[in-house]
Every structure is written in C-alpha cells, then in structure tokens.
Amino acid sequence: MLPHRPKSTTVNDTMARLSAARYGKDNVRVYKVHKDEKTGQQSVTEMTVCCLLEGQIETSYTEADNSVVVATDSIKNTIYIKAKEHPVNPPELYASILGQHFLDKYAHITAAHIDVTVHRWTRIVIDGQPHPHSFLRDGQETRNVEATVTRDGIAIKSGIVGLQVLKSTGSAFHGFVRDEFTTLKETWDRILSTDVDAGWTWKKFANLAAVQEGVERFDAAWEAARNITLKTFAEDESASVQNTMYKMCEQILDAVPEADKTNYSLPNKHYFEVDLGWHKGLQNTGKDAEVFAPQSGPNGLIKCEVSRS
C-alpha cells in the first residue's frame, strides 16, 4: 500500500504550495459631488480605487473552492456604497474606512489593501470670482494614498504623483566620475525638469479611530509636502537632482512629525541645445542657447528614501 501523501501540486516532481495571494477590484472610477444647499456651491472629487483582499482564501486557488471568495463585483459595489455613506476626503480616511469594512464584515479576511488616486479638478475663476460648480483639470498630477488595514492596525502612505515642474536655470552638474565611458560634459547652468513622485509614510495607526482623530493632519501634510517640493525646486541652486531631493525629504520630515520616512522618485528630463551654426553662423549653444529640443528618452532616474534617525 502506498504511503499517504498530503494534497498538493507537483511541478517537475517539486512540491508546490501557495505562498502568497491577494485579489480584488482595480480601476474603479468614483466621482462624488458635495452640494452646499446654503451657499449653492458644489465641490467635486474624482478617484480611481483599487481594493485587494488577503486572508484564508488559499482553497479558492488550490481546491477551486469559491466559498471563501468575496466576489470582485461585490468589492466594486462596496467601494461605491462606502463613498456614499462616508466622506471621501481626505483620501486617507476613506481608504481606512473602506479597508476596515472588509475586516469587520468577513472574519476570514485578514488584510485589505486600498489604493486611492485622486484626480485634479480645480475650481474655475470667472471675472475674479470662483464659479460655484465649474472646474478645470489643470494638469495630470494626482494625490495618492496606499492604505493596508489589518487586525493589528492601519499602515498609510500618502503621496504626490506626476507633478510636472521645470526651471530654465539654477541647476548644475559637475564633478562626477569621468572615465573611458564618459561623454557627458560638465555644466554649471542647465535646464532642470522632472515629474515629481513624492511619498511620506505615516507611523502606524492602532485602529480606525486613531485615523479619524485629528484627521486634518492629512490635508495639512499634503499641502506642506507640495509647497516644500515647489519652493525647494524653484529656489535651490541645485548641484544635482540627488542633493535637491534630499533637501526636500529633510523638510517634509520636519513639517510632518507623524511621518516615519519620506521618498522621492525624479526622472531627469533632458533638454538638449540645438546647434544652428550650420545656418548662416547662427549661435545657439552655451551662453547663446535659447532654442532646445526636449527629449522623450532616455532619461536619468533618481530615487531616494529618507528616514528618521
């Protein structure tokens, strides 16, 4: 008689086991309007939401047991219902409320991963007055939140993604390694342009009540991080992208005492001088450069994470 073997999957005679799994609904687009009946003014929020669940769901993978599956369509419906029942601003609060729901509702779910991307709608100003219900999208920048809700607490990371900035001077890059692979010339004056991705990770919250208490911290932190990014980018006589982004990180940690760490990812978007000397001796290089060719790629990519010591 053959010895008993545990139920498992074999791949090339190697025992296989499910080591990690999560599932849910992605790219759920949500728009919510708040109507102030007293003033007649309306405000709007548009989000893209992703919700992924973890827990005792392994048999849905290994044994085709769907009894442990909360349907992704139900997850989508819940995203809309919770947006109706609760505030969606700040997004850190909405993400925490949504994630907590799945742990409270389903005993076998142990973690809910909620990503919220908030898209810009800026109120239109007409004849110097803000219009009560008309808005414009003034850029592709988004406000982003990643929240992981577990039975041990709530971990939140906030961020700014896709903030496009450029300055036409005030940036240099010299003193770097020169060897047989180097063709790049040193420069003491160059164009600096990037798409800012910045994030700050909050100290872990014990529960939803801790997130709700002092909830104004989230908007204040976002405004501070955005202002620090813009002010430092504009005013810093940049010796390198690396040094400028480090200065930004230091300031965010000072401005947001409840943040444990902060990070930036900055592509260095190149603008090359166009040599027009071939046309009647037209000077357009060095101190005479006025016309440049923006490059789509390749580009530098510089990242850092700065934590409290």
Side-chain angles (χ1 to χ4, degrees):
M1 184 176 178
L2 293 174
H4 173 73
R5 298 183 65 185
K7 182 181 290 187
S8 183
T9 302
T10 59
V11 180
N12 295 330
D13 295 326
T14 300
M15 296 296 291
R17 66 180 182 86
L18 185 70
S19 56
R22 63 180 67 169
Y23 80 99
K25 207 70 164 180
D26 194 9
N27 294 314
V28 182
R29 299 183 63 182
V30 182
Y31 167 92
K32 185 173 184 179
V33 58
H34 173 73
K35 304 173 183 178
D36 190 324
E37 295 182 359
K38 292 183 179 180
T39 65
Q41 182 164 290
Q42 300 186 4
S43 58
V44 300
T45 302
E46 184 175 341
M47 311 179 293
T48 302
V49 181
C50 175
C51 174
L52 301 179
L53 304 181
E54 289 187 61
Q56 298 169 16
I57 57 175
E58 60 274 8
T59 55
S60 66
Y61 292 84
T62 60
E63 300 177 21
D65 173 19
N66 289 336
S67 67
V68 297
V69 176
V70 180
T72 66
D73 190 66
S74 301
I75 295 173
K76 176 207 67 179
N77 293 340
T78 304
I79 290 170
Y80 289 122
I81 291 168
K82 295 304 169 182
K84 174 65 177 179
E85 292 178 341
H86 299 278
V88 295
N89 290 302
E92 290 88 350
L93 175 61
Y94 172 71
S96 300
I97 291 171
L98 179 62
Q100 189 64 51
H101 161 83
F102 289 103
L103 270 66
D104 293 344
K105 180 70 174 177
Y106 307 105
H108 69 291
I109 297 300
T110 58
H113 303 272
I114 313 296
D115 292 352
V116 178
T117 301
V118 182
H119 306 280
R120 288 181 68 84
W121 284 118
T122 301
R123 194 175 299 277
I124 295 175
V125 176
I126 304 296
D127 298 327
Q129 297 297 320
H131 196 273
H133 58 255
S134 296
F135 307 85
L136 64 91
R137 178 156 295 169
D138 56 344
Q140 297 306 308
E141 171 198 353
T142 59
R143 177 175 175 177
N144 291 47
V145 171
E146 302 172 11
T148 298
V149 183
T150 68
R151 303 194 187 278
D152 295 325
I154 301 176
I156 299 176
K157 180 180 179 182
S158 305
I160 299 166
V161 173
L163 174 59
Q164 298 182 9
V165 292
L166 177 148
K167 63 180 183 179
S168 55
T169 189
S171 174
F173 188 56
H174 50 81
F176 50 87
V177 173
R178 303 202 68 86
D179 56 24
E180 68 271 26
F181 300 100
T182 307
T183 57
L184 183 67
K185 296 179 180 179
E186 294 185 323
T187 180
W188 281 257
D189 185 20
R190 64 174 180 172
I191 295 169
L192 180 58
S193 180
T194 190
D195 297 332
V196 176
D197 286 5
W200 51 100
T201 301
W202 297 86
K203 298 175 183 177
K204 193 170 186 178
F205 295 92
N207 48 42
L208 180 56
V211 175
Q212 293 169 318
E213 183 179 355
V215 71
E216 63 276 359
R217 66 168 72 86
F218 297 114
D219 283 346
W222 176 81
E223 290 174 4
R226 193 174 190 274
N227 290 338
I228 286 167
T229 299
L230 294 175
K231 181 178 175 64
T232 307
F233 178 83
E235 295 182 350
D236 184 43
E237 289 294 327
S238 178
S240 65
V241 176
Q242 289 87 336
N243 185 239
T244 298
M245 71 198 315
Y246 183 79
K247 293 176 181 178
M248 294 174 179
C249 287
E250 284 187 311
Q251 293 178 70
I252 290 177
L253 288 178
D254 286 341
V256 187
E258 292 178 273
D260 263 342
K261 57 186 177 182
T262 184
N263 67 278
Y264 275 85
S265 176
L266 302 179
N268 191 1
K269 302 170 69 175
H270 302 302
Y271 288 69
F272 292 161
E273 296 176 355
V274 180
D275 187 350
L276 300 175
W278 56 270
H279 180 72
K280 301 179 181 180
L282 193 60
Q283 297 302 302
N284 190 60
T285 59
K287 64 180 179 61
D288 298 313
E290 294 178 315
V291 177
F292 297 79
Q295 304 298 299
S296 57
N299 59 267
L301 180 60
I302 299 91
K303 297 185 178 188
C304 77
E305 180 178 276
V306 178
S307 303
R308 296 190 186 278
S309 58

